[in-house]
Amino acid sequence: MPVAASSSLSRAALVAAEADRREIRGRWLLASPALLIILFAAIGPLFIVLLFSFLTPADYGGIVWKPSGHAWFQVLFQKDIFDDTTTFADAHLSILWRSVKLSLLTTIMALAFGFPTAYFIATRPEKMRDIWLFLITIPFWTNLLIRTFAVQEVIRNEGIINTVLIKLGLISSPIQIMFTDVAIMLGMLYVYLPLMVLPLYASMEKLDFRLVEAGYDLYANRFQVLRRVIVPLVKPGIIAGSILVFIPSLGAYVTPRVLGGGKNMMLGNLIELQFGQGRNWPLGAALSITLMAIVMVALMVYVRYAAGSSENRHG
Amino acid sequence: MSRAGSGERRSAIEVLGVSKVFGNGDDAVRALDNVDVTIRENEFFTLLGPSGCGKTTLLRLIAGFDFPTEGEIRLYGEDIAPLPPFKRPVNTVFQNYALFPHMTVAQNIGFGLEMLGKPRPEIAQRVTEMLKLVRMEELRNRRTSQISGGQQQRVALARALAPRPKVLLLDEPLSALDFKLRKDMQIELKRLQHETGITFIFVTHDQEEALTMSDRIAVMSKGRILQIGSPRDIYDRPAERFVANFIGDTNFLEGTVTAVNGSKARIALAAGGEVEAGISEGVKPQGNVTIVVRPEHAAIVMAPGQDALRGTLENIVYFGTDTHFHVKLASGPHFIIRQQNRHGAREELKVGMPVGVEIGEHAAQVLKD
């Protein structure tokens, strides 16, 4: 490029570059409060947890500043006290398995109950929808612990379900629901159902119901319209709802504690145990990181799968 | 209205005494009120009327999205009123097309066949055939969000035609298109109907669209069918004031019946003079009546004869292809005359001149009310 001709051009470029720089600086400034919160309230604590998982437990809780990988070993394995043989930590594995299993079941059940509910609300007249949504959010007004005790009142041996069934003569002795996996799942389903219904409803509200009519018009029966038209179109809501139910279920603490009793622990209870009575902070930290890793992997697989299956449709 | 030819062709759709009431109690709205109509095989039949007249409701009843409160809907003699839409061999082109946004053009077109359980090779072949019919072969694998409005319209048509419906329902399919595209699609629709031989039921509020495309038109208002006939019947021989007013420009004249002779009546006009007016089927004119005269069926003259209406030329509006003359009749009402402009025509008419209006033979028609 000839130097003489480009002098005015490069001047314009300089001015533009300066404007760009100022713009970028302005953006960082605007984002800084959020960035500070993320740094100190999310990344910082996470880093501390990660750090603790590689340290040695102190005798009465807390940590000793001595690097160790033992906590991570303990997550999956245990050493026999007498002969030093290494075996899988059965207790941890069963808790891990129960957590994943119950969270998946809760998510599936929430979808099964939430989908028709959201569809029902979305197909009501506009004024009624707000009322229904309002009713869905009412449980949020009450403390989680109190709601969980309410569930207990329903399912315990002298509770509503068993009393009614016995009075009707359908059973002679109460069905044991409390302190089982079923109880935990029912409790979580009740607590997290609105988190499924709300995003599903948001998707369905945007659904163009003429597309449903078009489906019927083109010889699709009710099930086919659901599978081929409605589900693909409200998929963002299904994904969001499932994530919102699965993640808190996996880390649930109060519900398994109250409804599962001491025996049927989930990951959240196990972690709490290590930081409390177990006095093994590094193990608690390692388990926390494990829980996070499971959530991240599950999310990645799920989102990849969900996006992929919709991609195939238009291929 | 003419009934000629009704015996020659089979009826595809018979709507018998159909009423549709939405809501109940005080909020009840009677969208359709005892409608009877027969639509013949291979016909391009148009339901024409202003919005809220019930034309779309009638279409939805035929499609199966709603069910009649009373009455029967027969498809080739079989009552389909209680059947759900997916069991009726009838397809719809929706007003905003309602194409599936999560599918390609080809998947949209093949959807109906797929739901009917047709084998894949047959679907693929039929989709190709349909794409060719609507001239969209090159857009086969596009998403429906990536194509223009006119192209979406064609896909919607192809999708509805692919399963070879016995009757195709079109719910104001051209209303979202711009003027030029609409004109093209009107011709395209006629061609498709001709090529496929399928009965088309077309809903529109555009009278010009109805006149240019239809074999027969049903004019609807307030849940009732006012008149059914060929475009020429409807235009030249409107039976009611609403029909005459809704379609084209019209002059209304008051008069008294002096004699009835078969399908003609002599009317002494309040504006002076006498005309012979046609009588619609089922009308028995007597006493004071209203007649209609289309603006192009009358002529403006400078030396009025005995039967001519006298008045003053109030305004001349030049439209390029034709000129409108607004005449204030001596008896009071206004009368509009439309004359085609011919090359080299004289321009001796001036505003304010006394003129005569001559109503052409067969031009006047007695209205029902």
Side-chain angles (χ1 to χ4, degrees):
Chain A
M1 196 194 294
V3 179
S6 73
S7 74
S8 68
L9 198 80
S10 63
R11 202 181 140 68
L14 274 176
V15 172
E18 174 58 27
D20 271 356
R21 259 198 299 277
R22 217 174 301 154
E23 165 103 20
I24 288 165
R25 213 180 306 142
R27 274 189 217 155
W28 276 104
L29 208 64
L30 280 174
S32 56
L35 288 176
L36 280 177
I37 289 180
I38 290 174
L39 188 66
F40 285 105
I43 298 177
L46 214 58
F47 178 74
I48 294 171
V49 171
L50 188 65
L51 185 67
F52 275 25
S53 74
F54 287 104
L55 296 175
T56 312
D59 287 344
Y60 300 103
I63 39 94
V64 177
W65 288 90
K66 202 176 101 194
S68 156
H70 191 62
W72 284 100
F73 174 81
Q74 277 181 306
V75 169
L76 282 181
F77 305 103
Q78 62 190 13
K79 268 208 171 84
D80 199 287
I81 308 167
F82 301 110
D83 55 11
D84 256 18
T85 50
T86 304
T87 53
F88 275 112
D90 289 340
H92 290 184
L93 285 177
S94 79
I95 288 170
L96 202 72
W97 167 236
R98 177 184 295 118
S99 293
V100 172
K101 180 184 72 181
L102 288 183
S103 300
L104 277 176
L105 276 174
T106 304
T107 309
I108 292 166
M109 295 288 280
L111 189 61
F113 283 98
F115 196 93
T117 309
Y119 190 85
F120 172 83
I121 298 173
T123 50
R124 290 312 95 187
E126 201 127 351
K127 252 187 273 167
M128 290 303 292
R129 285 186 221 163
D130 292 343
I131 297 173
W132 283 108
L133 277 184
F134 173 75
L135 291 176
I136 292 282
T137 54
I138 279 185
F140 285 131
W141 299 5
T142 317
N143 183 285
L144 172 64
L145 197 59
I146 294 170
R147 277 186 283 159
T148 309
F149 277 114
V151 174
Q152 183 183 357
E153 198 51 42
V154 174
I155 60 175
R156 71 196 173 97
N157 285 5
E158 300 81 25
I160 296 170
I161 292 180
N162 278 316
T163 310
V164 168
L165 287 178
I166 289 172
K167 283 267 164 61
L168 287 173
L170 290 171
I171 51 172
S172 53
S173 59
I175 305 168
Q176 178 68 43
I177 307 175
M178 276 301 287
F179 312 124
T180 64
D181 285 356
V182 178
I184 299 175
M185 205 206 69
L186 281 176
M188 292 201 300
L189 177 62
Y190 165 64
V191 171
Y192 298 128
L193 188 58
L195 297 181
M196 178 64 88
V197 173
L198 294 176
L200 268 179
Y201 167 76
S203 278
M204 281 187 195
E205 196 203 10
K206 277 184 272 168
L207 179 67
D208 182 355
F209 279 88
R210 279 174 308 198
L211 295 175
V212 175
E213 282 188 347
Y216 285 134
D217 189 62
L218 292 163
Y219 311 107
N221 58 33
R222 286 173 187 89
F223 177 71
Q224 285 166 323
V225 164
L226 179 71
R227 201 171 66 83
R228 296 295 307 277
V229 180
I230 300 175
V231 168
L233 290 174
V234 300
K235 192 177 257 168
I238 296 177
I239 293 175
S242 300
I243 289 172
L244 283 181
V245 172
F246 182 74
I247 290 176
S249 296
L250 206 54
Y253 169 71
V254 169
T255 311
R257 181 69 192 267
V258 173
L259 300 176
K263 255 189 1 199
N264 297 319
M265 273 199 281
M266 283 179 64
L267 263 175
N269 309 97
L270 184 60
I271 291 167
E272 190 267 349
L273 188 68
Q274 302 313 322
F275 282 101
Q277 294 156 305
R279 275 179 270 173
N280 192 346
W281 285 26
L283 178 55
L287 285 168
S288 301
I289 301 283
T290 308
L291 174 60
M292 236 181 69
I294 293 171
V295 168
M296 277 170 70
V297 169
L299 269 186
M300 269 154 60
V301 169
Y302 182 63
V303 170
R304 175 76 54 86
Y305 163 78
S309 70
S310 73
E311 210 103 291
N312 288 341
R313 277 277 154 69
H314 18 111
Chain B
M1 78 193 105
S2 147
R3 292 255 180 232
S6 59
E8 295 161 17
R9 283 202 249 163
R10 286 207 290 165
S11 53
I13 294 271
E14 285 169 278
V15 176
L16 304 170
V18 163
S19 296
K20 175 67 186 176
V21 180
F22 288 108
N24 40 36
D26 293 341
D27 300 333
V29 177
R30 215 171 176 80
L32 285 177
D33 192 6
N34 200 14
V35 166
D36 285 293
V37 57
T38 301
I39 294 153
R40 299 171 202 144
E41 197 167 35
N42 270 342
E43 192 170 35
F44 197 118
F45 191 90
T46 298
L47 297 169
L48 175 66
S51 57
C53 72
K55 55 190 192 299
T56 298
T57 305
L58 182 54
L59 201 76
R60 289 175 61 82
L61 291 185
I62 296 172
F65 302 135
D66 282 314
F67 299 96
T69 314
E70 285 162 36
E72 261 183 45
I73 296 171
R74 291 200 189 143
L75 179 74
Y76 289 96
E78 181 203 356
D79 186 14
I80 56 165
L83 292 182
F86 52 86
K87 290 197 176 145
R88 301 183 185 203
V90 166
N91 290 130
T92 309
V93 178
F94 293 85
Q95 189 167 8
N96 295 331
Y97 320 136
L99 296 177
F100 301 123
H102 55 295
M103 300 182 194
T104 63
V105 165
Q107 285 167 333
N108 263 283
I109 296 173
F111 188 83
L113 295 163
E114 201 182 319
M115 292 301 114
L116 286 171
K118 297 275 190 262
R120 283 197 175 277
E122 191 189 323
I123 296 175
Q125 193 203 334
R126 181 74 179 152
V127 167
T128 307
E129 212 174 288
M130 282 294 113
L131 283 165
K132 207 175 202 165
L133 185 71
V134 296
R135 300 173 183 147
M136 292 267 300
E137 290 110 312
E138 68 281 10
L139 298 176
R140 186 185 185 102
N141 292 321
R142 286 283 188 89
R143 300 289 296 277
T144 54
S145 52
Q146 296 168 332
I147 58 178
S148 72
Q151 289 166 337
Q152 288 183 17
Q153 168 72 76
R154 285 161 194 271
V155 175
L157 267 168
R159 185 180 70 172
L161 284 170
R164 296 191 175 85
K166 293 209 168 114
V167 175
L168 185 73
L169 309 174
L170 302 108
D171 186 6
E172 306 217 20
L174 307 181
S175 60
L177 303 179
D178 60 50
F179 182 77
K180 180 76 174 60
L181 212 51
R182 194 156 68 225
K183 289 279 167 238
D184 292 346
M185 281 310 291
Q186 285 178 6
I187 296 163
E188 184 84 4
L189 272 179
K190 271 307 261 190
R191 177 181 71 86
L192 284 175
Q193 200 246 340
H194 190 73
E195 279 178 26
T196 55
I198 290 172
T199 310
F200 276 34
I201 303 180
F202 186 83
V203 160
T204 184
H205 62 265
D206 183 331
Q207 45 119 349
E208 191 195 316
E209 211 165 86
L211 289 175
T212 53
M213 297 169 76
S214 320
D215 293 324
R216 286 196 308 152
I217 299 171
V219 183
M220 295 186 70
S221 172
K222 292 176 183 160
R224 293 169 159 278
I225 291 180
L226 300 179
Q227 189 174 2
I228 301 174
S230 69
R232 187 167 285 274
D233 274 341
I234 300 273
Y235 187 80
D236 285 351
R237 289 181 286 282
E240 294 191 33
R241 184 180 284 265
F242 179 87
V243 177
N245 232 340
F246 191 72
I247 300 178
D249 300 321
T250 315
N251 294 302
F252 294 101
L253 292 170
E254 305 297 324
T256 317
V257 178
T258 56
V260 177
N261 173 23
S263 65
K264 295 274 172 198
R266 279 206 78 77
I267 315 282
L269 294 175
E274 261 193 16
V275 290
E276 189 147 82
I279 306 168
S280 295
E281 210 172 280
V283 180
K284 291 191 177 64
Q286 53 185 9
N288 294 330
V289 291
T290 306
I291 65 162
V292 294
V293 180
R294 294 293 181 188
E296 64 276 19
H297 293 165
I300 186 161
V301 290
M302 295 181 70
Q306 195 202 341
D307 272 349
L309 315 178
R310 278 149 216 277
T312 318
L313 185 54
E314 252 192 355
N315 204 0
I316 301 174
V317 186
Y318 179 72
F319 274 91
T321 55
D322 48 30
T323 304
H324 293 194
F325 299 98
H326 295 238
V327 176
K328 186 170 170 60
L329 297 177
S331 59
H334 285 85
F335 198 99
I336 298 171
I337 297 144
R338 181 154 61 214
Q339 243 166 36
Q340 187 123 46
N341 292 327
R342 274 183 294 271
H343 186 66
R346 295 161 303 158
E347 289 182 42
E348 40 194 38
L349 289 162
K350 294 274 184 304
V351 171
M353 280 171 80
V355 291
V357 175
E358 280 181 351
I359 293 165
E361 222 176 316
H362 311 300
Q365 180 78 7
V366 181
L367 288 182
K368 222 183 248 177
D369 47 0

